Protein backbone atom coordinates (compact mmCIF):
# COMPACT_ATOMS: atom_id res chain seq x y z
CA UNK A 1 0.00 0.00 0.00
CA UNK A 2 1.30 3.45 -0.87
CA UNK A 3 0.09 5.00 2.34
CA UNK A 4 -1.44 8.46 2.58
CA UNK A 5 -0.31 10.62 -0.32
CA UNK A 6 -0.06 14.39 -0.06
CA UNK A 7 0.79 16.96 -2.67
CA UNK A 8 2.63 19.16 -3.05
CA UNK A 9 5.34 18.30 -0.54
CA UNK A 10 6.53 21.89 -0.47
CA UNK A 11 4.70 25.07 -1.40
CA UNK A 12 6.01 28.60 -1.36
CA UNK A 13 3.57 31.36 -2.13
CA UNK A 14 3.04 35.04 -1.58
CA UNK A 15 0.61 36.59 0.82
CA UNK A 16 -2.85 36.91 -0.67
CA UNK A 17 -2.53 33.98 -3.03
CA UNK A 18 -4.81 30.95 -2.96
CA UNK A 19 -3.23 27.69 -1.81
CA UNK A 20 -4.66 24.22 -2.34
CA UNK A 21 -3.28 21.20 -0.55
CA UNK A 22 -4.26 17.72 -1.69
CA UNK A 23 -4.60 14.37 0.02
CA UNK A 24 -5.28 10.83 -1.12
CA UNK A 25 -6.16 8.60 1.85
CA UNK A 26 -5.36 4.92 2.12
CA UNK A 27 -7.75 2.89 -0.01
CA UNK A 28 -10.64 1.54 2.03
CA UNK A 29 -10.30 4.04 4.85
CA UNK A 30 -13.45 5.95 5.69
CA UNK A 31 -12.09 8.69 7.96
CA UNK A 32 -9.84 11.56 6.97
CA UNK A 33 -8.17 14.21 9.08
CA UNK A 34 -6.31 17.44 8.36
CA UNK A 35 -3.76 18.64 10.93
CA UNK A 36 -1.47 21.65 11.09
CA UNK A 37 1.88 21.70 12.88
CA UNK A 38 3.81 24.78 13.94
CA UNK A 39 6.55 25.33 16.48
CA UNK A 40 4.34 27.58 18.55
CA UNK A 41 1.12 25.56 18.61
CA UNK A 42 2.32 22.03 17.95
CA UNK A 43 0.09 19.57 16.09
CA UNK A 44 -3.55 20.68 15.83
CA UNK A 45 -6.56 18.94 14.31
CA UNK A 46 -8.23 21.20 11.77
CA UNK A 47 -11.07 19.07 10.44
CA UNK A 48 -12.32 15.48 10.45
CA UNK A 49 -14.36 13.71 7.75
CA UNK A 50 -16.18 10.42 8.08
CA UNK A 51 -17.58 8.81 4.93
CA UNK A 52 -16.78 12.03 3.05
CA UNK A 53 -18.89 14.15 5.40
CA UNK A 54 -17.29 16.82 7.61
CA UNK A 55 -17.96 15.79 11.19
CA UNK A 56 -15.94 18.32 13.15
CA UNK A 57 -14.43 21.49 11.71
CA UNK A 58 -14.02 23.30 15.01
CA UNK A 59 -10.28 23.44 14.52
CA UNK A 60 -10.45 25.36 11.25
CA UNK A 61 -8.87 28.71 12.12
CA UNK A 62 -11.14 31.03 10.17
CA UNK A 63 -13.16 31.50 7.03
CA UNK A 64 -10.06 31.68 4.91
CA UNK A 65 -9.71 27.93 5.37
CA UNK A 66 -11.98 25.42 3.68
CA UNK A 67 -11.81 21.67 3.19
CA UNK A 68 -13.66 19.35 0.88
CA UNK A 69 -13.87 15.64 0.30
CA UNK A 70 -15.72 15.05 -2.97
CA UNK A 71 -15.13 11.29 -2.86
CA UNK A 72 -13.55 8.62 -0.71
CA UNK A 73 -10.17 8.90 -2.38
CA UNK A 74 -9.52 12.62 -2.45
CA UNK A 75 -9.60 15.65 -0.18
CA UNK A 76 -8.44 19.25 -0.47
CA UNK A 77 -7.58 21.94 2.04
CA UNK A 78 -7.76 25.43 0.60
CA UNK A 79 -6.51 28.69 2.04
CA UNK A 80 -7.75 31.86 0.39
CA UNK A 81 -6.24 34.38 0.82
CA UNK A 82 -3.09 33.04 2.41
CA UNK A 83 -1.19 34.93 5.11
CA UNK A 84 2.34 34.54 6.50
CA UNK A 85 0.94 33.12 9.76
CA UNK A 86 -0.44 30.19 7.79
CA UNK A 87 3.11 28.96 7.26
CA UNK A 88 3.23 25.47 8.75
CA UNK A 89 3.40 21.80 7.91
CA UNK A 90 -0.02 20.42 7.02
CA UNK A 91 -0.63 16.73 7.56
CA UNK A 92 -3.39 14.56 6.24
CA UNK A 93 -4.24 11.31 8.02
CA UNK A 94 -6.73 8.53 7.39
CA UNK A 95 -8.16 5.64 9.35
CA UNK A 96 -10.74 2.91 9.08
CA UNK A 97 -13.40 3.75 11.61
CA UNK A 98 -14.91 0.60 13.04
CA UNK A 99 -17.33 0.91 15.90
CA UNK A 100 -16.15 -0.22 19.33
CA UNK A 101 -12.53 -0.54 18.37
CA UNK A 102 -9.57 1.76 18.17
CA UNK A 103 -8.55 2.76 14.68
CA UNK A 104 -5.05 4.11 14.40
CA UNK A 105 -4.52 7.12 12.23
CA UNK A 106 -2.05 6.83 9.37
CA UNK A 107 -0.35 10.09 8.55
CA UNK A 108 0.96 11.34 5.25
CA UNK A 109 4.38 12.94 4.80
CA UNK A 110 2.97 16.45 5.09
CA UNK A 111 3.04 19.60 2.98
CA UNK A 112 5.39 22.33 4.13
CA UNK A 113 3.74 25.65 3.33
CA UNK A 114 5.63 28.92 3.36
CA UNK A 115 3.71 32.13 2.82
CA UNK A 116 5.94 35.13 2.14
CA UNK B 1 -5.53 22.04 30.27
CA UNK B 2 -3.08 19.30 29.43
CA UNK B 3 -4.23 15.79 30.17
CA UNK B 4 -0.72 14.39 30.12
CA UNK B 5 2.71 15.39 31.39
CA UNK B 6 5.88 14.13 29.76
CA UNK B 7 9.55 15.04 30.15
CA UNK B 8 10.75 17.38 27.47
CA UNK B 9 13.68 15.21 26.46
CA UNK B 10 15.47 11.97 27.23
CA UNK B 11 18.61 10.19 26.07
CA UNK B 12 19.17 6.50 25.60
CA UNK B 13 22.12 4.41 24.49
CA UNK B 14 21.69 2.34 21.37
CA UNK B 15 20.74 -1.24 22.19
CA UNK B 16 19.45 -0.37 25.63
CA UNK B 17 15.83 -0.16 26.69
CA UNK B 18 14.19 3.26 26.46
CA UNK B 19 11.59 3.92 29.13
CA UNK B 20 9.40 6.93 28.43
CA UNK B 21 7.15 8.04 31.29
CA UNK B 22 3.81 9.78 31.08
CA UNK B 23 1.66 11.17 33.88
CA UNK B 24 -2.09 11.32 33.40
CA UNK B 25 -3.43 11.75 36.91
CA UNK B 26 -6.87 12.99 35.81
CA UNK B 27 -7.59 10.11 33.46
CA UNK B 28 -11.20 8.98 33.42
CA UNK B 29 -12.42 5.40 33.55
CA UNK B 30 -13.33 5.30 29.87
CA UNK B 31 -10.17 6.94 28.60
CA UNK B 32 -7.37 5.11 26.88
CA UNK B 33 -3.66 5.88 26.74
CA UNK B 34 -2.28 6.18 23.20
CA UNK B 35 1.30 6.58 22.08
CA UNK B 36 2.40 8.04 18.77
CA UNK B 37 5.84 9.12 17.66
CA UNK B 38 7.09 11.57 15.08
CA UNK B 39 10.43 11.11 13.43
CA UNK B 40 11.95 14.32 12.15
CA UNK B 41 10.27 15.62 8.98
CA UNK B 42 7.72 12.80 8.94
CA UNK B 43 4.11 12.46 9.98
CA UNK B 44 3.25 10.92 13.35
CA UNK B 45 3.15 7.14 13.60
CA UNK B 46 0.96 5.06 15.88
CA UNK B 47 2.83 2.87 18.37
CA UNK B 48 0.47 1.31 20.88
CA UNK B 49 -2.51 1.96 23.11
CA UNK B 50 -4.06 0.52 26.28
CA UNK B 51 -6.85 0.90 28.81
CA UNK B 52 -5.66 -0.74 32.01
CA UNK B 53 -3.78 -3.89 31.11
CA UNK B 54 -0.20 -3.91 29.97
CA UNK B 55 0.13 -4.19 26.22
CA UNK B 56 2.89 -5.36 23.91
CA UNK B 57 3.29 -5.33 20.16
CA UNK B 58 6.15 -5.59 17.71
CA UNK B 59 7.21 -2.03 18.38
CA UNK B 60 6.92 -1.51 22.10
CA UNK B 61 5.39 -2.36 25.45
CA UNK B 62 3.01 -0.19 27.43
CA UNK B 63 2.95 -0.48 31.20
CA UNK B 64 0.00 1.22 32.92
CA UNK B 65 0.01 1.58 36.71
CA UNK B 66 -2.80 -0.02 38.64
CA UNK B 67 -4.35 3.35 39.50
CA UNK B 68 -3.96 4.33 35.82
CA UNK B 69 -2.47 7.69 36.75
CA UNK B 70 0.74 7.06 34.89
CA UNK B 71 2.22 4.84 32.23
CA UNK B 72 5.55 3.94 30.66
CA UNK B 73 6.32 3.21 27.06
CA UNK B 74 9.19 0.77 26.69
CA UNK B 75 11.27 0.35 23.57
CA UNK B 76 13.17 -2.82 24.49
CA UNK B 77 16.22 -2.36 22.27
CA UNK B 78 16.45 1.21 21.07
CA UNK B 79 18.10 1.93 17.73
CA UNK B 80 19.20 5.20 16.17
CA UNK B 81 16.04 5.12 14.06
CA UNK B 82 13.97 5.38 17.23
CA UNK B 83 15.14 8.97 17.72
CA UNK B 84 11.87 10.89 17.58
CA UNK B 85 9.33 12.89 19.54
CA UNK B 86 7.05 10.55 21.47
CA UNK B 87 3.52 11.69 22.27
CA UNK B 88 1.42 10.26 25.08
CA UNK B 89 -2.27 10.98 24.48
CA UNK B 90 -5.24 10.30 26.71
CA UNK B 91 -8.66 10.12 25.14
CA UNK B 92 -11.80 8.07 25.20
CA UNK B 93 -12.29 5.06 22.99
CA UNK B 94 -14.95 4.67 20.35
CA UNK B 95 -15.14 7.87 18.34
CA UNK B 96 -11.59 8.69 19.27
CA UNK B 97 -10.79 11.01 16.43
CA UNK B 98 -9.82 13.87 18.71
CA UNK B 99 -6.14 13.10 19.08
CA UNK B 100 -4.80 16.04 21.07
CA UNK B 101 -1.04 16.12 20.73
CA UNK B 102 0.95 17.80 23.47
CA UNK B 103 4.64 18.67 23.22
CA UNK B 104 5.82 15.10 23.73
CA UNK B 105 9.26 13.79 24.71
CA UNK B 106 12.21 14.09 22.37
CA UNK B 107 14.02 10.78 22.68
CA UNK B 108 17.57 10.83 21.38
CA UNK B 109 19.22 7.46 20.92
CA UNK B 110 22.98 7.79 21.02
CA UNK B 111 25.47 5.40 19.42
Amino acid sequence: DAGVIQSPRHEVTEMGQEVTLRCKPISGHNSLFWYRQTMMRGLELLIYFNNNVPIDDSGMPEDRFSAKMPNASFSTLKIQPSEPRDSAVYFCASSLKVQYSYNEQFFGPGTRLTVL
Amino acid sequence: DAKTTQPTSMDCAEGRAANLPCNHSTISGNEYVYWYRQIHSQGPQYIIHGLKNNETNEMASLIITEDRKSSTLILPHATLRDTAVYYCIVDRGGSNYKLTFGKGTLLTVNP
Side-chain angles (χ1 to χ4, degrees):
Chain A
D1 196 324
V4 175
I5 299 173
Q6 291 187 246
S7 64
R9 293 294 309 277
H10 301 273
E11 176 79 35
V12 179
T13 190
E14 293 188 347
M15 182 174 62
Q17 296 298 305
E18 176 180 297
V19 175
T20 299
L21 310 182
R22 297 172 175 79
C23 175
K24 175 178 171 55
I26 292 173
S27 177
H29 282 187
N30 57 7
S31 297
L32 184 138
F33 312 81
W34 282 100
Y35 289 85
R36 177 174 68 176
Q37 186 171 36
T38 62
M39 288 293 293
M40 291 294 294
R41 301 178 65 90
L43 198 60
E44 306 172 281
L45 176 65
L46 300 178
I47 188 169
Y48 156 60
F49 291 88
N50 184 239
N51 292 325
N52 312 336
V53 176
I55 302 300
D56 183 352
D57 64 356
S58 60
M60 295 286 265
E62 48 196 274
D63 292 345
R64 296 184 299 105
F65 285 69
S66 63
K68 293 182 179 179
M69 192 163 186
N71 57 62
S73 59
F74 184 65
S75 176
T76 60
L77 178 67
K78 184 177 295 186
I79 308 173
Q80 166 62 17
S82 58
E83 296 183 2
R85 60 190 169 125
D86 301 330
S87 297
V89 180
Y90 291 81
F91 289 102
C92 176
S94 71
S95 73
L96 176 61
K97 180 173 171 57
V98 176
Q99 198 171 15
Y100 305 125
S101 80
Y102 179 68
N103 319 116
E104 64 181 279
Q105 294 184 23
F106 293 83
F107 284 75
T111 294
R112 181 173 296 276
L113 173 65
T114 302
V115 183
L116 304 175
Chain B
D1 53 339
K3 287 187 175 182
T4 63
T5 304
Q6 298 179 253
T8 302
S9 63
M10 294 182 63
D11 287 318
C12 176
E14 187 178 21
R16 303 297 295 270
N19 296 277
L20 292 93
C22 180
N23 286 320
H24 32 80
S25 59
T26 61
I27 192 170
S28 300
N30 64 348
E31 289 183 317
Y32 288 71
V33 181
Y34 305 96
W35 284 84
Y36 278 72
R37 73 178 182 183
Q38 186 173 21
I39 296 170
H40 182 61
S41 296
Q42 297 183 20
Q45 174 190 25
Y46 166 81
I47 302 173
I48 199 167
H49 76 282
L51 182 62
K52 56 182 179 181
N53 297 321
N54 297 337
E55 302 288 344
T56 295
N57 63 19
E58 66 278 5
M59 288 183 69
S61 294
L62 174 60
I63 308 298
I64 303 174
T65 58
E66 194 168 341
D67 63 7
R68 302 209 322 123
K69 293 185 176 182
S70 66
S71 60
T72 301
L73 178 74
I74 301 172
L75 307 179
H77 305 287
T79 71
L80 300 180
R81 289 174 295 180
D82 292 321
T83 293
V85 177
Y86 287 77
Y87 298 99
C88 171
I89 302 166
V90 165
D91 212 327
R92 57 193 174 93
S95 57
N96 50 23
Y97 61 89
K98 283 267 190 193
L99 288 179
T100 302
F101 290 82
K103 296 190 180 301
T105 296
L106 173 60
L107 173 69
T108 302
V109 181
N110 300 305

